[in-house]
Amino acid sequence: MKLSGKKYTGNRFISAYEVLVWMLYVGIYKYSMLVETNWLPRTRGYFPFPQLILYAFFLTLYIVPYYRVIGPWFLRKRWHWQLVLVSILYFIFVPKFTNWACTWLFAHGSTGEPLLSYYQRRLHWFTMGLHNRMLMLEDLLTDILAFLSVMFMRYAFENEQKRHALEKDNLQLQLQTLKAQLHPHFLFNTLNSIYGMSLTGAPETPDFILRLSDMMRYVLYDCSTHQVSLDKDLQFVSNYLEMEKKRYPQANIQFEIAAEGAGHKMIAPLLVIPFLENSFKHGAHRITDNGFIKGLLQLTDNQLELTLSNNVLFTALPNQKQYGGVGIENVQKRLTLYYPHRYTLHINSTDSLYAVHLKIQL
């Protein structure tokens, strides 16, 4: 799910739910309650009184400031007891005056029978009700239940939206941290390798300098967005592999990239590289000639699949860091954020082998 550049889908859902409440509850239920009164005749020439639908909507407008402004404001402040007190005062006094004012308008704006008599009788009833402490408690209760559901659902979706935005910002900061960690660790080692190549006069030295330049440009500029071209991301992986192969020429490194049509796909940046970096950082190839790193990164239709394994020299040091660490945890969170229910990640870690199998539905 891409959050940037798109309106959060929960806003559309809650708007549709709010419209549905107004249509079903106010337009049908409250209208039926108004029609069922004994003050209206059931003769063929009058029923079904479509004007009463409009009247039902006007009678319910009093609750809009409450569930749209007042209630959400107290909820955001987390003033729950204050909200209860304000709600009691609001529903005791506000509906009385708004019902009276709305009925007065309809009584003076209607000229035909029997609605004129109907509005006049209701106006008299509301006028008498202004002197009472409670008015139509049963009708108010249904209004409260219907629109409190809208208010609390809107509040819940707003909190979820804020949580997603906060998680996105947090993961973006983690991505920046990951890039900052990648810079010195990888840059210094690569520069040392290129320096050694230049001392021996290796003819491929300019090529590796160009590869390093492309990689730094990708990390600094292209990775500043939430989505990058899959072709560029895979080119970064390819350059990284070539650099590491140069650092460990005796190691058994077999990694294949098969991604035809990657130029037309988009992906969140730097999802694959933490797994590769861990393989080169913790793999046994650094110490023994028997070390290996084997992997396959392939694109099939819209699915990107990574298979990676390497052997590990296990040493039970007291302060030894967990294999993978923050980098892998960051990738898992970003996968959950950008590809919910569209990826699978299996990591098998033993004392001698570390294997990763990742599938992403782009």
Side-chain angles (χ1 to χ4, degrees):
M1 176 177 57
K2 186 180 177 181
L3 298 180
S4 60
K6 292 184 179 180
K7 189 175 181 180
Y8 186 57
T9 55
N11 292 338
R12 294 193 294 269
F13 173 81
I14 190 61
S15 298
Y17 177 75
E18 184 178 1
V19 171
L20 192 64
V21 169
W22 278 95
M23 292 177 60
L24 296 181
Y25 171 70
V26 180
I28 297 178
Y29 174 77
K30 290 195 72 171
Y31 163 75
S32 66
M33 296 295 292
L34 294 175
V35 170
E36 287 177 0
T37 178
N38 295 327
W39 296 346
L40 284 172
R42 294 295 187 272
T43 58
R44 180 182 298 273
Y46 298 115
F47 189 78
F49 307 107
Q51 189 184 109
L52 290 184
I53 298 177
L54 182 63
Y55 178 58
F57 275 94
F58 270 81
L59 285 177
T60 316
L61 288 178
Y62 78 92
I63 204 171
V64 174
Y66 173 80
Y67 83 87
R68 275 283 195 163
V69 181
I70 299 174
W73 187 83
F74 278 91
L75 287 175
R76 294 187 191 103
K77 295 286 187 180
R78 299 186 181 275
W79 293 350
H80 300 137
W81 287 109
Q82 293 88 331
L83 175 61
V84 172
L85 177 61
V86 169
S87 300
I88 293 174
L89 295 175
Y90 187 92
F91 286 105
I92 287 178
F93 296 104
V94 174
K96 290 183 179 182
F97 294 98
T98 56
N99 286 340
W100 179 88
C102 177
T103 307
W104 185 90
L105 289 175
F106 274 79
H108 287 75
S110 179
T111 56
E113 293 290 344
L115 287 181
L116 178 58
S117 299
Y118 173 77
Y119 292 136
Q120 289 175 344
R121 296 183 70 174
R122 286 185 64 88
L123 180 62
H124 175 73
W125 186 43
F126 283 131
T127 302
M128 296 296 295
L130 289 176
H131 304 288
N132 299 330
R133 290 186 176 275
M134 299 298 293
L135 174 67
M136 298 191 311
L137 181 60
E138 64 279 5
D139 293 339
L140 283 178
L141 183 60
T142 56
D143 284 357
I144 293 171
L145 292 177
F147 288 97
L148 276 184
S149 69
V150 178
M151 182 181 74
F152 281 111
M153 186 172 291
R154 182 181 297 277
Y155 176 69
F157 272 97
E158 285 180 358
N159 284 341
E160 184 69 11
Q161 183 177 7
K162 291 177 181 178
R163 188 187 68 82
H164 274 276
L166 182 61
E167 184 177 1
K168 180 189 71 173
D169 293 339
N170 181 49
L171 288 177
Q172 189 65 20
L173 289 175
Q174 292 185 22
L175 176 59
Q176 297 299 328
T177 303
L178 176 64
K179 288 159 57 178
Q181 292 173 346
L182 182 65
H183 288 174
H185 172 74
F186 177 77
L187 181 60
F188 291 141
N189 289 331
T190 304
L191 285 176
N192 286 333
S193 299
I194 294 177
Y195 176 70
M197 293 167 57
S198 65
L199 290 179
T200 59
E204 65 269 23
T205 302
D207 178 62
F208 279 90
I209 294 176
L210 183 60
R211 286 178 183 271
L212 180 61
S213 175
D214 290 340
M215 295 178 69
M216 293 300 103
R217 185 181 300 109
Y218 176 77
V219 172
L220 288 173
Y221 299 109
D222 294 333
C223 291
S224 60
T225 60
H226 297 294
Q227 296 280 310
V228 297
S229 170
L230 178 59
D231 188 51
K232 289 185 177 181
D233 202 70
L234 295 183
Q235 184 61 45
F236 178 85
V237 172
S238 178
N239 287 334
Y240 180 86
L241 284 168
E242 291 302 319
M243 293 290 187
E244 293 291 1
K245 287 179 181 179
K246 191 63 181 177
R247 289 180 58 204
Y248 303 103
Q250 305 301 323
N252 181 14
I253 301 175
Q254 302 176 29
F255 195 95
E256 180 183 357
I257 298 178
E260 184 178 354
H264 303 289
K265 308 295 182 181
M266 302 294 289
I267 191 173
L270 300 178
L271 288 177
V272 174
I273 204 65
F275 299 109
L276 284 171
E277 188 181 22
N278 273 322
S279 294
F280 283 103
K281 183 178 179 181
H282 299 281
H285 66 280
R286 297 179 299 114
I287 301 176
T288 174
D289 293 338
N290 296 326
F292 69 86
I293 295 177
K294 298 180 181 180
L296 172 63
L297 186 59
Q298 62 179 349
L299 176 66
T300 306
D301 295 329
N302 287 326
Q303 180 176 272
L304 183 68
E305 183 175 4
L306 168 68
T307 304
L308 179 65
S309 63
N310 63 274
N311 56 347
V312 181
L313 286 180
F314 176 75
T315 54
L317 298 177
N319 296 325
Q320 185 179 22
K321 293 183 179 180
Q322 181 182 0
Y323 193 105
V326 177
I328 302 303
E329 183 180 352
N330 172 267
V331 171
Q332 291 175 320
K333 290 181 179 179
R334 294 176 63 219
L335 284 169
T336 303
L337 177 66
Y338 292 110
Y339 302 98
H341 311 295
R342 292 163 51 196
Y343 83 94
T344 58
L345 175 61
H346 299 287
I347 299 177
N348 182 26
S349 178
T350 67
D351 293 347
S352 59
L353 182 69
Y354 192 82
V356 175
H357 189 201
L358 171 65
K359 289 184 179 180
I360 305 175
Q361 192 69 29
L362 301 177

